Amino acid sequence: MLTLAATALILWLIVLALPWRPCSCREGLEPSDGDSSPVGDVTVLMPARNEAVVIRETLRALAVMSPDVPVVLVDDQSSDGTADLACACGLHHLDVLAGTSPPAGWTGKLWAMEQGLAHVATPWVLLLDADIRLAPGMLAVLQHKAAEGYALVSLCAEPCWKGLAARWLMPAFVYFFKLLYPFALANREGSRVAAAAGGVILIKREVLIGIGGFAAWHDEIIDDCTLAAHVKRAGYLCFLGLTHGAVSLRQTGLRGVIHMIARTAFVQLGESWLLLWLVSLLMGLAFCVPVIAACTDNGLIATLGILAWLASAACFMPTLHYYRRNPLAAVMLPLTAAIFLAATWYSALRALGGTRSAWKGRRYGQHAGE
């Protein structure tokens, strides 16, 4: 146990000392108090499947932010009246398309966006999820960032904080995403790390078409990061950051968070059972060992365990501070990590039964269209 506790402490100290600072929240874009008018031609492309609860608020926010920006909304075979509610919002320049069933091998969201892309003629496309509310000025901020030389600018929308499970688990969701895809490396020219957050992506239309459009990765479950990888391989720069100016309206409880993690967790590991076991051992070392060591009656082991536990909490603190969450959640990170690991195992076991991913009533098996 002494060796394990010391190793856990060294592991967290290394994470804190990494030059690209994966724990920090320094990469961010916030709404500007200055000129908030768009600086270039852009069309909002929005896939929507059963979004009746949120679609009105999303579209009204767009109307306040940029009433003259064209919006192409693809109703992805909704059964809850999403299209009717969208049309009733009174948004100028709104084009609501009736989406068709995904062809074999396509995921639903990518097929919806492929259909909508054919109706986009502007130089820039804002890929926006139907549950994301943009603050006034955010489109201009995205465009100003793109003007610095980025072909793709993506932001992690702030989670919806309604409900205990969301307030507890969603900061960790962003935190683990930042550890897996360090933003500083994803934004660096020449780095192999490529990542994007699918809720808010501003991209050059010619770049998107030049890399093959959505058809080039039509069967990908983790479509946002795959898009960023294609863009970077084509020689363009990408930017990924955090923001308070894009907020998710989707409320979710504990079950919803677990299913959200399970949707991509095993796919993220390349559907490799070996990697799953290695990740499980690593998370056990990083999160479980410090707690166990801290509870022993051996003074040295307990001290190392407490220090490792505090170091893990220190890594999580910047994310909690950015989202103004209770800092005590950092102390509970080992329990939070256990829930994320359990969701990953659920994802793997579900894949073993033939379901690689499931979302919004669609099941994806060995081939995306299954």
Side-chain angles (χ1 to χ4, degrees):
M1 181 54 72
L2 176 63
T3 302
L4 290 174
T7 303
L9 175 58
I10 292 171
L11 174 65
W12 285 113
L13 291 177
I14 289 174
V15 173
L16 285 168
L18 287 172
W20 52 85
R21 295 166 59 189
C23 300
S24 74
C25 296
R26 55 182 174 167
E27 297 88 3
L29 292 178
E30 303 299 343
S32 173
D33 294 330
D35 182 15
S36 61
S37 58
V39 297
D41 292 332
V42 61
T43 297
V44 177
L45 175 53
M46 181 184 301
R49 178 173 171 83
N50 294 329
E51 300 286 7
V53 175
V54 297
I55 194 64
R56 285 175 293 188
E57 187 170 352
T58 298
L59 293 178
R60 286 169 183 167
L62 284 177
V64 171
M65 181 187 67
S66 300
D68 295 326
V69 170
V71 179
V72 176
L73 186 149
V74 183
D75 179 36
D76 187 13
Q77 299 186 305
S78 300
S79 59
D80 62 353
T82 293
D84 292 336
L85 289 170
C87 292
C89 285
L91 181 67
H92 299 304
H93 309 293
L94 172 65
D95 189 6
V96 178
L97 307 178
T100 60
S101 297
W106 282 78
T107 63
K109 180 180 179 180
L110 287 174
W111 175 239
M113 290 194 292
E114 177 73 6
Q115 295 173 85
L117 183 60
H119 295 260
V120 175
T122 53
W124 289 89
V125 187
L126 176 63
L127 308 178
L128 185 67
D129 279 0
D131 64 328
I132 302 296
R133 182 185 67 220
L134 294 182
M138 276 310 301
L139 180 54
V141 170
L142 287 164
Q143 292 179 299
H144 282 299
K145 190 66 182 180
E148 296 178 10
Y150 296 99
L152 182 152
V153 179
S154 177
L155 294 174
C156 291
E158 182 170 351
C160 176
W161 301 120
K162 294 181 180 179
L164 177 61
R167 291 193 296 270
W168 173 24
L169 296 175
M170 289 309 296
F173 186 88
V174 177
Y175 169 69
F176 287 129
F177 179 61
K178 293 197 292 105
L179 287 184
L180 190 61
Y181 295 101
F183 288 9
L185 296 182
N187 299 343
R188 183 180 299 173
E189 184 177 7
S191 170
R192 293 186 178 182
V193 177
V200 183
I201 297 177
L202 181 68
I203 183 171
K204 275 187 176 180
R205 178 178 175 273
E206 65 176 4
V207 171
L208 179 55
I209 293 175
I211 59 178
F214 300 106
W217 57 95
H218 61 272
D219 59 347
E220 290 291 339
I221 303 298
I222 310 175
D223 54 89
D224 43 13
C225 293
T226 305
L227 166 59
H230 277 75
V231 172
K232 292 196 77 171
R233 281 199 295 267
Y236 299 99
L237 292 177
C238 298
F239 177 87
L240 172 61
L242 301 174
T243 187
H244 295 295
V247 179
S248 173
L249 301 172
R250 192 179 308 282
Q251 300 181 35
T252 183
L254 177 60
R255 182 177 180 180
V257 174
I258 289 175
H259 279 280
M260 183 172 61
I261 298 167
R263 180 168 64 98
T264 59
F266 194 49
V267 174
Q268 182 65 64
L269 296 176
E271 298 175 271
S272 166
W273 287 88
L274 175 59
L275 277 179
L276 177 60
W277 278 107
L278 290 175
V279 167
S280 299
L281 291 174
L282 180 61
M283 292 188 71
L285 173 64
F287 297 104
C288 296
V289 166
V291 176
I292 296 172
C295 296
T296 63
D297 55 6
N298 182 297
L300 178 57
I301 294 176
T303 299
L304 290 173
I306 292 172
L307 290 175
W309 195 347
L310 291 175
S312 70
C315 289
F316 190 28
M317 281 299 295
T319 303
L320 293 173
H321 177 73
Y322 179 81
Y323 288 125
R324 301 180 291 273
R325 297 294 98 195
N326 192 331
L328 291 178
V331 180
M332 297 177 62
L333 188 58
L335 178 58
T336 304
I339 293 175
F340 275 69
L341 182 59
T344 303
W345 272 93
Y346 167 64
S347 178
L349 293 173
R350 190 173 63 179
L352 197 63
T355 300
R356 299 175 64 227
S357 182
W359 194 246
K360 286 189 172 291
R362 287 195 174 114
R363 169 189 170 275
Y364 300 106
Q366 187 63 34
H367 304 285
E370 292 181 0

